Amino acid sequence: MIRTTFSFAAFFGLLALACNLLFTHSQQNPASEPRQTSTTDEKCGDEQAPAIRSAQREDKPLSLLQEPVQLKSVGLRSNGEIQLVEFEEGTSEQSAKKSAEETLEETEKKLQELTKESTTEEDSKPMGPEPKAAAEPELSPEMKRLREEIRECLSHYYIRPENVAARSPWACMHAMIAYGVDANLIVNNQRVNAIGYMNFNGNCNGQQLFYTQGGKLQARIGPGVQGHAGQYLAMLAQSRVKTNFPIKVDTEDFNVADLIEHEKLTCKPNTELTFKLIALTHYLRSDDSWTSNDGQSWDIPRLIKEELNQKIVGAACGGTHRLMGFSYAVRKREQRGEVIEGQWLRAKKFLESYHAYTFRLQNPDGSFSTEWFVGRADNGPPGRRLETTGHITEWLTYSLSKEELTSPEMVKSVSYLTKLLYDNRSTKWNIGPMGHGLHALATYDERVFGGEPGKRAEQLAKYARPTVIER
């Protein structure tokens, strides 16, 4: 993680002025530094550790890209602002905005056309479990204190983005998931929007996420890129990125809808479909059906059934992502006012039993079992506790009802996770558990305290503290 000493005013002045979006299409790996496989830095659950290049952070930490990146803007408007990410929030649309140095006329026209398109009623619905109530009850002193602690913690990590010179696409995805459309990365000494950079196939430590085959968009799976089929699209879904937001691979133009089609075509039975379920539940209608490239018929109920036939214990990250997939399927069905029946009813009953079981495994300090769902356990270093409690809390903050989120057990869990991340903020966490832990706090802040995606920089500004160098 890049830790830079700067003043509060200077940093948020920079956010106000915004930053340049840079993209590189070079696929050449830096030649002068050896590559090594990390077995600890970027492992999340049972995911294979990506290969990363060792970063010499003590010497010119932001100058590790050996190939110059090409400076580009996305959707430059007449007032000098650019719209980087379109995402869905209630019935309105907001965007993360940065300033640009160059005008790409063709891209400008394309993005302006996209922003003029009207969305359907379905597209305008929020991702979260339920819309905000018209009048929120007054927060108790305990909850007000928790809100301040969460935002101070989120602010600390938000102003210290990851550097693509030292991080693989897999790592950058996990840095992105925490703050969604507000997430930033360091590219060639400058802050850029993470989703904008990743969607334009930005070079992350010599690797890129996308490629084309036969003129069609493809997404890589393996060390350093996606650890699971559909993983990146699931993260876009959780960030509420719209289907018409661009994806660019070299000179070819695509959008999120093309990535959706890719994930539909590559569905296979008896495989991990966890992330495809999250993504396709978000982007498709409940009655949509499709044919995969091996000729099989698919729909959302089949995805749910396939996942229910697989185990939780031993699945990726303790099974928390699989549970998240079921939660997405059920919540989306409920949001649409559709009957909970068939596979959705099976998933809902399964979730309810796992909610109860999870809290039975909760430790007295609010943390969850360090053995995931195997049984009760309370041991291991802070990194292990972040990995387990972070993932489990992330799932619960989305899956539980709003009333359940303020139960004493859940408040205790969120308080524990906040304290763990903030009190150990000088720790070099593994990027996967850190990203999911922060995403848990950001989701809780949004659902309980009214945190707003697209306005994170503004909301977290007053909580930022400059780095203090101890001598």
Side-chain angles (χ1 to χ4, degrees):
M1 182 180 292
I2 304 303
R3 300 195 177 204
T4 306
T5 302
F6 49 79
S7 68
F8 167 85
F11 170 71
F12 286 99
L14 180 62
L15 283 181
L17 294 174
C19 60
N20 301 313
L21 182 63
L22 301 99
F23 297 103
T24 177
H25 299 300
S26 170
Q27 297 191 24
Q28 299 179 354
N29 291 334
S32 63
E33 294 192 47
R35 298 181 66 87
Q36 64 183 24
T37 300
S38 167
T39 59
T40 60
D41 190 43
E42 294 184 3
K43 186 176 181 182
C44 180
D46 60 358
E47 181 171 23
Q48 184 177 2
I52 64 170
R53 175 162 52 85
S54 177
Q56 300 175 352
R57 297 192 177 192
E58 70 280 3
D59 181 22
K60 298 181 180 179
L62 305 183
S63 60
L64 297 176
L65 289 178
Q66 297 188 3
E67 294 292 332
V69 296
Q70 301 175 13
L71 181 64
K72 295 184 178 182
S73 63
V74 179
L76 186 65
R77 295 173 176 176
S78 59
N79 62 0
E81 296 179 326
I82 59 174
Q83 178 164 339
L84 292 181
V85 181
E86 287 189 296
F87 71 102
E88 303 161 357
E89 176 62 28
T91 56
S92 63
E93 298 175 9
Q94 304 175 30
S95 62
K97 297 180 180 180
K98 310 288 179 189
S99 62
E101 291 183 359
E102 285 186 32
T103 302
L104 292 181
E105 205 170 298
E106 183 178 346
T107 307
E108 174 187 357
K109 291 179 181 179
K110 183 183 299 183
L111 263 289
Q112 287 178 342
E113 289 175 3
L114 289 176
T115 57
K116 291 178 182 178
E117 293 180 0
S118 60
T119 60
T120 65
E121 180 181 354
E122 181 62 41
D123 287 335
S124 69
K125 292 184 178 180
M127 175 193 68
E130 65 277 317
K132 296 178 183 178
E136 297 290 342
E138 180 69 22
L139 294 175
S140 67
E142 178 191 16
M143 294 302 287
K144 287 181 179 179
R145 182 168 59 253
L146 180 58
R147 179 189 61 193
E148 300 304 292
E149 290 171 351
I150 288 174
R151 291 183 176 177
E152 186 170 4
C153 181
L154 288 172
S155 177
H156 173 84
Y157 289 92
Y158 180 69
I159 64 178
R160 293 164 174 83
E162 297 291 333
N163 191 339
V164 301
R167 290 297 195 181
S168 66
W170 184 91
C172 291
M173 287 162 53
H174 283 80
M176 177 190 88
I177 188 62
Y179 301 100
V181 295
D182 299 289
N184 294 314
L185 294 168
I186 297 294
V187 180
N188 200 29
N189 298 322
Q190 300 195 51
R191 295 173 188 269
V192 304
N193 180 274
I195 293 177
Y197 186 78
M198 297 294 291
N199 269 35
F200 270 56
N201 212 25
N203 189 311
C204 301
N205 192 24
Q207 293 181 282
Q208 292 174 296
L209 186 59
F210 301 115
Y211 68 102
T212 60
Q213 188 174 61
K216 294 185 178 181
L217 179 67
Q218 308 288 320
R220 292 185 172 93
I221 302 175
V225 283
Q226 291 188 117
H228 314 270
Q231 188 175 24
Y232 184 68
L233 183 61
M235 291 184 173
L236 293 183
Q238 289 173 286
S239 301
R240 283 165 270 186
V241 177
K242 293 179 65 178
T243 58
N244 57 12
F245 189 72
I247 294 176
K248 193 173 184 69
V249 183
D250 296 326
T251 59
E252 297 188 64
D253 294 318
F254 302 96
N255 57 29
V256 174
D258 294 304
L259 186 56
I260 294 169
E261 288 304 308
H262 167 72
E263 298 301 345
K264 289 163 61 178
L265 289 173
T266 52
C267 288
K268 295 181 180 179
N270 303 313
T271 64
E272 182 192 49
L273 297 167
T274 297
F275 296 90
K276 289 178 182 283
L277 178 59
I278 294 173
L280 298 180
T281 290
H282 176 76
Y283 284 118
L284 304 183
R285 297 180 185 278
S286 298
D287 59 355
D288 281 350
S289 60
W290 64 94
T291 302
S292 58
N293 53 20
D294 62 356
Q296 296 200 38
S297 298
W298 289 87
D299 53 21
I300 299 300
R302 183 178 179 183
L303 286 178
I304 298 172
K305 183 177 180 179
E306 289 276 347
E307 282 291 284
L308 283 170
N309 287 339
Q310 300 196 53
K311 60 185 180 181
I312 295 296
V313 174
C317 299
T320 54
H321 297 309
R322 180 157 286 148
L323 291 168
M324 182 69 87
F326 298 143
S327 297
Y328 258 75
V330 171
R331 288 298 183 194
K332 199 68 175 179
R333 185 80 169 178
E334 290 175 338
Q335 287 173 3
R336 293 165 174 164
E338 297 167 343
V339 178
I340 302 297
E341 59 185 358
Q343 298 302 323
W344 287 281
L345 182 58
R346 288 185 65 204
K348 183 173 183 177
K349 291 180 177 179
F350 187 80
L351 285 169
E352 289 171 349
S353 66
Y354 252 92
H355 289 159
Y357 175 65
T358 301
F359 282 109
R360 287 202 299 270
L361 300 182
Q362 188 176 27
N363 296 314
D365 61 1
S367 66
F368 290 107
S369 173
T370 51
E371 291 299 326
W372 301 102
F373 301 108
V374 175
R376 190 186 302 277
D378 185 11
N379 53 67
R384 176 62 173 178
R385 296 172 183 276
L386 174 60
E387 182 181 25
T388 52
T389 296
H391 275 89
I392 293 172
T393 304
E394 178 189 35
W395 160 57
L396 290 173
T397 55
Y398 179 84
S399 188
L400 295 175
S401 69
K402 192 165 184 179
E403 292 72 24
E404 290 171 317
L405 287 179
T406 55
S407 68
E409 296 83 4
M410 194 60 190
V411 169
K412 200 170 187 180
S413 170
V414 173
S415 298
Y416 175 89
L417 180 60
T418 304
K419 182 176 176 60
L420 178 66
L421 279 163
Y422 192 74
D423 288 356
N424 296 278
R425 57 192 178 278
S426 61
T427 299
K428 182 177 171 57
W429 299 112
N430 292 342
I431 187 67
M434 182 183 73
H436 287 292
L438 290 170
H439 185 222
L441 298 186
T443 303
Y444 194 86
D445 181 47
E446 179 182 349
R447 293 194 62 201
V448 177
F449 301 126
E452 296 184 58
K455 296 183 178 180
R456 288 289 183 195
E458 176 185 346
Q459 288 190 328
L460 299 178
K462 71 174 185 177
Y463 301 93
R465 295 182 180 181
T467 301
V468 177
I469 300 178
E470 297 182 1
R471 299 184 182 277

